[in-house]
């Protein structure tokens, strides 16, 4: 007889149950229903577990003690107890259905799928087999001659190595124990090329393999490819060890640098940016300076050119005036000498002026030459 | 690992068959207690149009103890920290076994719509939220654009 308690909360019901008959905690139809002083109904195990955690009603959070819980009205208990359920052993094959309160009786007396003690040897056996002879005696399998318990014979027949099995490739009937071995030699089994690890995509029946391999480029290149693969794995291994070394060394380097690397780096960075700013400023300033110099030079040149011109003009004018004064002076000196020597005739000045004319002329020409030179300057 | 309690199976079935709008939770095939969750940012919040990924794990004694939930998508929110942990009362002291995965995920979606800088988890974010809410909301919107949109 099965001494295990029935787990009512995991029973399967024949029809969907009104949610008002379900416990708000386990959401299954109430089992051993109780109700609280705030008038909420729960399974007794559910509310007891909940009260261990929190002394409040799970639905409305009013304070609640274990003594505030009492059995629900008998009508509610009857409603849930009379719900139709499937036998808990329905998965093993029992098709029995009954009202929930009858499940216990069904399991303890009728259900064929309850494990019981064998009358003869005391081992576990389903009730439906308990009446017959002991199923735990060994029996010889007619195919493989192994000794197997009667109770396990059904399962054994599914995998008995002595039974014939059909090869799925060549349809040959072989003993199951040899089927696996046959698979490795079956001419019609689908296999892939022996160079498939190198990338050959061919697959076909075993009997065609030799034909394929005669033309398979991967088989030809196999030695080369294999050497490459070996080299690759060697390099990978080396790479892995090196990476490990780096991983080991990096924290050490970081550690030795952690004393003040951050602040130093920051400072250096600040300085560098500042320097960069200054350099830019400098470049801008020197450009402006050059411009100004050129502008100033132009101005100066313009100004000095004009002054020089004026100066030259003035110099020329002064020269002219000087010549004139000089001429006037010489005229006057000559005049007094003439008057003095000749005794003065009114007509003579025109005569005496005659020979002096060329001199004046040349002087004026020279003057104009001078002037021209001055202008040129 | 013990068999999956009926409640978890039921919750999972309902989450898949009748999902909450804007929330999606799918269990891992190899671990049915581990869920991949996505939550759409609620409309007219800075998280609008964002799709946030979360992970959800149901501990051994669920539903007696709350599920463990964490944001995987980066989010700028005063109640969610850098690691994606969420400050939400129902995930801690106020957990009740009557709550479910779907109600908890709805609470998280609501938290996105109503940040609470008075009960912060990410102090810097909460501070900014209190000092300059407009700028904080703008940052949240920006983070949503950069991290939560595909």
């Amino acid at each position: 007889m099965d001494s295990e308690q029935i787990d009512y909360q995991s029973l399967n019901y024949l029809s969907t149950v009104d949610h008002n008959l379900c416990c708000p905690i386990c959401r299954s139809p109430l089992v051993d229903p109780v109700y609280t002083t705030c008038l909420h109904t729960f399974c007794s195990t559910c509310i007891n577990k909940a009260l261990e955690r929190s002394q409040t009603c799970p639905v409305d959070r009013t304070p609640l003690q274990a003594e505030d819980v009492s059995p629900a009205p008998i009508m509610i208990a009857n409603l849930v107890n009379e719900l139709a359920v499937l036998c808990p052993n329905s998965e093993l094959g029992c098709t029995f259905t009954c009202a929930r309160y009858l499940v216990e009786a069904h399991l303890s007396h009728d259900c064929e799928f309850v494990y019981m003690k064998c009358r003869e040897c005391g081992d576990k056996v389903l009730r439906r087999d308990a009446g017959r002879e002991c199923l735990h005696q060994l029996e010889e399998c007619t195919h493989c001659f192994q000794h197997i318990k009667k109770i396990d014979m059904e399962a054994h027949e599914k995998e008995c190595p002595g039974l014939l099995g059909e090869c799925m490739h060549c349809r040959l009937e072989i003993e199951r124990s040899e089927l696996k071995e046959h698979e490795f030699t079956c001419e019609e089994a689908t296999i892939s090329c022996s160079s498939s690890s190198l990338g050959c995509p061919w697959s076909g029946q075993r009997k065609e393999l030799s034909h394929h391999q005669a033309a398979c480029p991967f088989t030809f290149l196999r030695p080369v490819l294999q050497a490459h693969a070996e080299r690759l794995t060697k390099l990978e291994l080396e790479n892995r060890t090196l990476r490990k070394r780096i991983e080991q060394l990096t924290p050490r380097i970081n550690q030795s640098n952690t004393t003040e690397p951050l602040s130093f780096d920051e400072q250096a960075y600040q300085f560098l940016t500042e320097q960069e700013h200054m350099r830019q400023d400098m470049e801008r300033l020197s450009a402006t300076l050059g411009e100004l110099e050129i502008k100033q030079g132009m101005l100066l040149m313009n100004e000095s050119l004009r002054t020089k011109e004026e100066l030259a003009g003035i110099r020329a004018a002064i020269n002219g005036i000087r010549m004139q004064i000089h001429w006037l002076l010489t005229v006057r000196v000559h005049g007094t000498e003439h008057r003095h020597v000749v005794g003065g005739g009114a007509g003579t000045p025109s005569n005496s002026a005659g020979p002096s004319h060329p001199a004046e002329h040349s002087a004026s020409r020279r003057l104009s030459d001078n002037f021209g030179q001055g202008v040129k300057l | 690992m013990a068999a999956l309690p009926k409640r978890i199976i039921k919750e999972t079935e309902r989450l898949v068959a009748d999902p909450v709008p804007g929330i999606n939770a799918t269990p891992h095939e190899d671990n049915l207690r581990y869920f991949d969750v996505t939550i759409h940012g609620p409309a007219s919040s800075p998280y609008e149009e964002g799709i946030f990924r979360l992970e959800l794990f149901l501990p051994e004694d669920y539903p007696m103890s709350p599920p463990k939930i964490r944001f995987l998508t980066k989010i700028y929110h005063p109640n969610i920290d850098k690691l994606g942990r969420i400050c939400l009362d129902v995930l801690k002291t106020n957990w009740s076994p009557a709550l479910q995965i779907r109600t908890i995920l709805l609470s998280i979606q609501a938290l996105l719509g109503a940040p609470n800088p008075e009960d912060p988890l990410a102090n810097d974010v909460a501070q900014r939220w209190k000092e300059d809410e407009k700028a904080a909301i703008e940052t949240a919107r920006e983070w949503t654009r950069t991290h939560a949109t595909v």
Side-chain angles (χ1 to χ4, degrees), chain A residues 89-134:
Chain A
N89 293 326
S90 59
E91 275 170 27
L92 292 176
C94 184
T95 53
F96 187 77
T97 59
C98 64
R100 193 175 75 180
Y101 72 98
L102 293 173
V103 164
E104 204 178 334
H106 165 69
L107 287 179
S108 54
H109 297 113
D110 311 322
C111 184
E112 297 276 286
F113 295 87
V114 169
Y115 279 107
M116 311 187 66
K117 265 187 187 170
C118 175
R119 271 184 307 188
E120 289 175 35
C121 67
D123 213 338
K124 256 170 56 169
V125 67
L126 284 182
R127 179 181 279 130
R128 64 167 180 188
D129 301 324
R132 295 189 265 159
E133 84 272 47
C134 177

Side-chain angles (χ1 to χ4, degrees), chain A residues 6-13 28-29 31 100-101 103-104:
Chain A
I6 303 164
D7 180 8
Y8 279 98
Q9 273 158 359
S10 58
L11 284 176
N12 288 312
Y13 292 78
S28 293
V31 175
R100 193 175 75 180
Y101 72 98
V103 164
E104 204 178 334

Side-chain angles (χ1 to χ4, degrees), chain A residues 9-13 22 24-29 42 45-47 49-50 53-54 56-59 61, chain B residues 4-8 10-11 14 61-66 89-90 93-100 103:
Chain A
Q9 273 158 359
S10 58
L11 284 176
N12 288 312
Y13 292 78
C22 291
I25 297 178
C26 67
R27 310 229 162 235
S28 293
F42 304 95
T45 50
C46 289
I47 189 66
K49 266 195 231 168
R53 303 264 176 155
S54 164
T56 53
C57 170
V59 176
R61 297 211 173 95
Chain B
L4 210 60
K6 199 117 189 168
R7 159 158 172 169
I8 296 181
K10 277 188 182 169
E11 272 199 65
R14 180 140 180 250
D61 51 356
Y62 177 83
M64 291 309 154
S65 61
D89 59 344
V90 287
T93 49
N94 268 349
W95 167 253
S96 144
L99 291 171
Q100 314 171 49
T103 49

Side-chain angles (χ1 to χ4, degrees), chain A residues 316-329:
Chain A
I318 288 174
N319 257 353
I321 290 167
R322 195 196 290 152
M323 295 296 268
Q324 270 178 345
I325 289 172
H326 188 250
W327 181 74
L328 279 175
L329 277 175

Side-chain angles (χ1 to χ4, degrees), chain A residues 248-264:
Chain A
Q248 281 168 352
L249 289 175
T250 326
R252 216 183 292 168
I253 293 169
N254 283 347
Q255 250 173 14
S256 58
N257 278 350
T258 40
T259 42
E260 214 162 88
L262 249 180
S263 62
F264 176 73

Side-chain angles (χ1 to χ4, degrees), chain A residues 161-366:
Chain A
L163 271 174
L164 289 184
E166 193 183 47
C167 170
M168 56 193 268
H169 306 295
C170 62
R171 307 269 164 226
L172 196 71
E173 292 223 324
I174 313 174
E175 275 189 15
R176 272 193 207 162
S177 57
E178 285 163 20
L179 207 55
K180 254 207 178 119
E181 222 168 281
H182 168 75
E183 185 105 347
F184 289 112
T185 52
C186 176
E187 283 290 299
E188 281 174 31
T190 311
I191 53 164
S192 46
C193 176
S194 55
S195 301
S196 66
S197 61
L198 297 174
C200 179
W202 184 88
S203 74
Q205 292 188 337
R206 182 171 278 115
K207 58 187 175 194
E208 283 163 15
L209 180 66
S210 54
H211 185 247
H212 159 73
Q213 275 184 337
C216 176
F218 289 93
T219 312
F220 283 130
L221 287 175
R222 197 181 174 87
V224 185
L225 290 174
Q226 231 161 18
H228 273 290
E230 268 167 30
R231 204 158 146 237
L232 200 70
T233 45
K234 219 164 99 184
L235 283 175
E236 263 171 12
L237 195 78
E238 195 184 321
N239 199 0
R240 213 173 307 143
T241 45
L242 284 176
R243 191 173 299 148
K244 231 178 235 172
R245 281 281 282 285
I246 290 175
E247 270 166 20
Q248 281 168 352
L249 289 175
T250 326
R252 216 183 292 168
I253 293 169
N254 283 347
Q255 250 173 14
S256 58
N257 278 350
T258 40
T259 42
E260 214 162 88
L262 249 180
S263 62
F264 176 73
D265 275 359
E266 262 170 31
Q267 266 181 352
Y269 181 70
Q270 266 179 0
F271 281 133
L272 279 174
T273 44
E274 217 161 285
Q275 196 205 6
E276 189 59 27
H277 279 300
M278 282 173 144
R279 215 207 339 245
Q280 277 171 3
D281 279 354
M282 269 273 283
E283 269 167 20
R284 207 151 6 107
L285 283 175
S286 59
T288 334
L289 202 66
E291 247 170 65
L292 279 175
E293 255 168 24
I294 291 167
K295 213 182 273 179
Q296 209 194 10
M298 291 281 285
L299 276 176
L300 204 68
M301 214 159 76
N302 282 349
E303 198 68 25
S304 63
L305 218 63
R306 213 178 319 137
T307 342
K308 261 183 199 160
E309 264 171 34
E310 252 169 53
L311 212 64
I314 289 167
R315 200 177 286 150
I318 288 174
N319 257 353
I321 290 167
R322 195 196 290 152
M323 295 296 268
Q324 270 178 345
I325 289 172
H326 188 250
W327 181 74
L328 279 175
L329 277 175
T330 42
V331 165
R332 179 159 300 173
V333 171
H334 280 276
T336 44
E337 274 179 10
H338 263 280
R339 234 173 279 164
H340 222 65
V341 177
V342 182
T348 47
S350 66
N351 282 345
S352 64
S356 73
H357 254 294
E360 187 203 6
H361 198 72
S362 68
S364 78
R365 168 165 299 166
R366 219 180 295 138

